[in-house]
Amino acid sequence: MSSEDKPVPVDTKAAGSAGSPDSAGDTGVGGGRGRPSFVRRLLRSRTARAVTAAGLAGVLLGAGAVAWRTDTLPLLGPAPCWDSLGDASVSGLFGDRRIEVDEQSLGNAREGDGLSYGQCRITSFKDDRALRQVTVNVHQLDGLRGTDSTRWPQEFLAAGMVSLGEELPGMVSASRGWLALPQGCTGRGDFSGPTVVEIGMGRAGLDFSSDLATEDRDALTDALVDATNGVIRSFGCSGRYPSPRSLPSVDTWQDTDAAALCGTKGFALPAAYRKELSRTRIGAGGDGPARICEVGSDDREQVVRMTTVVDPALAEIFSSDSLRSGASVKGTTGYGKTTGGRAVYRARCQTGHVVFVVEQLRQTAKGGFTLTDELLPGYVAAEAERIGCGPQKLTLPSA
């Protein structure tokens, strides 16, 4: 079920305007965690730290940029990233190493030209050598101009990610994660995606099936939920997201089932590509906002990525692609565009709009970029049946 249709465990009654100095938030709901008390913040062992002279200069001169150093004497102060990341989250990501935080004040995106609310970057050090850097970004996903329809899914809608669960409209991997803010808190205009809190560490896609990767994913998840709850509080809305009870395991590359490609009954891989496209990986979307399938060769290099976005708000980021670029695709209850290397089809379903995306990331042995159009009709028909949105029959421009 989508985040637009399923209530989230957050009271979205705003106490003030987003980014307002008066919108510091309250104690949350159901005994949830609110803004840290004076004593707790004073005694915080890691994050209540003194600002160095250089950091103080940044506060005065950097238009909202703040720097923390954890190797200085303690002093009352907010936690990193808009007073959101607790000791456990910081320790999970960085251990006991010295950290520095560069934080941009949260602002209201509607007051500017862009859709960004603010960014926070944390870097850990051993002596003077940077070891790990984590970036938290808050912005509204764009659907009108198409600026978030290509690059953002490459990082944040990948088969290496898993759903955070029914109560948490987002996904996470060992290197990336995102969580949508309640729409009652932030609002959402036409052709706009949700406002999301993103977290990133290292290079996107470097996810390995190992204990270390699991630890990184768990640490990113804790920090993401903490950061999102902090942003909700900063925007003047009450309540909080709960921590996920458990996360599904990440699917590893498996032999391709040519008769049920991407694990979808009735979706067959054309015979001409069965030798080359021998490996498949499916993201653990479950009841989450999107399901992603990547198909590649024996060296695990992705050739095709197919995405089904069932969250109506998230589906809006593909609005421009389904309307403006490429040759027209017509369907039973939808429409779309195809450009050879990428096809986007938007269908009307019981739960709202659903988007199906097929992308060919590199040429096959046959050459050219014809695989997208060959796969799109079968993919949409089978996936629509799987999610209870069928039947969907497509007509391509060449038909």
Side-chain angles (χ1 to χ4, degrees):
M1 184 173 290
S2 74
S3 62
E4 196 168 50
D5 298 296
K6 181 178 179 63
V8 295
V10 178
D11 179 3
T12 58
K13 181 179 180 182
S17 62
S20 167
D22 298 326
S23 60
D26 50 33
T27 57
V29 294
R33 178 175 53 197
R35 188 176 182 85
S37 68
F38 177 90
V39 175
R40 180 183 173 193
R41 293 165 68 190
L42 179 63
L43 298 178
R44 197 189 301 265
S45 62
R46 175 180 296 274
T47 55
R49 305 294 185 179
V51 178
T52 62
L56 183 58
V59 174
L60 298 175
L61 302 176
V66 183
W68 279 260
R69 292 177 64 95
T70 61
D71 57 347
T72 55
L73 294 174
L75 182 70
L76 179 65
C81 300
W82 316 292
D83 200 17
S84 65
L85 298 187
D87 291 347
S89 292
V90 175
S91 296
L93 288 171
F94 304 105
D96 294 326
R97 301 202 183 278
R98 175 173 65 89
I99 65 169
E100 292 186 1
V101 181
D102 296 310
E103 180 179 301
Q104 180 186 24
S105 298
L106 285 174
N108 193 329
R110 294 169 182 81
E111 296 175 356
D113 295 332
L115 297 170
S116 177
Y117 285 89
Q119 187 179 91
C120 175
R121 185 173 64 246
I122 311 174
T123 308
S124 67
F125 294 85
K126 180 179 181 181
D127 300 324
D128 291 327
R129 181 168 60 94
L131 292 181
R132 168 172 282 187
Q133 188 171 88
V134 172
T135 300
V136 181
N137 188 51
V138 184
H139 86 287
Q140 185 177 26
L141 294 172
D142 166 58
L144 182 62
R145 293 168 292 183
T147 56
D148 286 318
S149 66
T150 302
R151 185 172 181 179
W152 192 85
Q154 288 176 356
E155 288 197 50
F156 294 98
L157 291 181
M161 307 189 78
V162 299
S163 171
L164 288 169
E166 289 187 10
E167 296 180 330
L168 297 164
M171 304 182 76
V172 70
S173 71
S175 63
R176 292 293 185 274
W178 65 273
L179 182 54
L181 295 169
Q183 292 180 37
C185 179
T186 61
R188 187 172 68 85
D190 294 337
F191 299 107
S192 294
T195 298
V196 296
V197 178
E198 306 159 356
I199 191 166
M201 179 172 65
R203 201 174 103 191
L206 290 180
D207 302 323
F208 303 98
S209 179
S210 66
D211 292 339
L212 182 60
T214 300
E215 291 177 7
D216 284 346
R217 188 184 68 168
D218 291 345
L220 276 182
T221 301
D222 291 340
L224 175 61
V225 174
D226 265 3
T228 304
N229 286 330
V231 172
I232 290 172
R233 185 172 60 241
S234 295
F235 280 7
C237 302
S238 60
R240 59 188 294 269
Y241 281 125
S243 297
R245 289 185 293 270
S246 62
L247 293 174
S249 59
V250 177
D251 189 31
T252 57
W253 287 93
Q254 306 288 336
D255 290 341
T256 296
D257 184 348
L261 187 59
C262 297
T264 305
K265 183 180 179 181
F267 180 35
L269 178 64
Y273 301 101
R274 294 185 180 184
K275 183 177 180 181
E276 182 176 2
L277 302 183
S278 59
R279 306 288 284 176
T280 300
R281 183 171 68 157
I282 307 168
D287 295 325
R291 182 178 188 259
I292 304 99
C293 173
E294 297 168 351
V295 187
S297 55
D298 287 335
D299 58 6
R300 300 182 183 181
E301 184 177 2
Q302 301 171 28
V303 177
V304 183
R305 179 170 56 236
M306 289 166 279
T307 306
T308 301
V309 183
V310 298
D311 184 291
L314 186 62
E316 289 298 328
I317 70 173
F318 298 99
S319 295
S320 178
D321 289 356
S322 64
L323 286 169
R324 296 179 179 174
S325 58
S328 295
V329 176
K330 298 179 181 180
T332 304
T333 66
Y335 57 88
K337 295 286 186 178
T338 178
T339 60
R342 193 166 192 252
V344 177
Y345 178 77
R346 177 183 171 106
R348 187 172 61 253
C349 298
Q350 299 92 327
T351 57
H353 285 109
V354 174
V355 167
F356 305 89
V357 184
V358 178
E359 300 168 278
Q360 184 175 344
L361 307 177
R362 68 175 179 85
Q363 291 188 23
T364 63
K366 292 178 61 177
F369 285 84
T370 61
L371 189 53
T372 299
D373 287 353
E374 291 186 57
L375 293 177
L376 181 66
Y379 177 69
V380 171
E383 277 289 280
E385 289 293 334
R386 183 184 65 83
I387 63 177
C389 189
Q392 290 289 335
K393 183 176 181 181
L394 272 60
T395 303
L396 297 178
S398 57

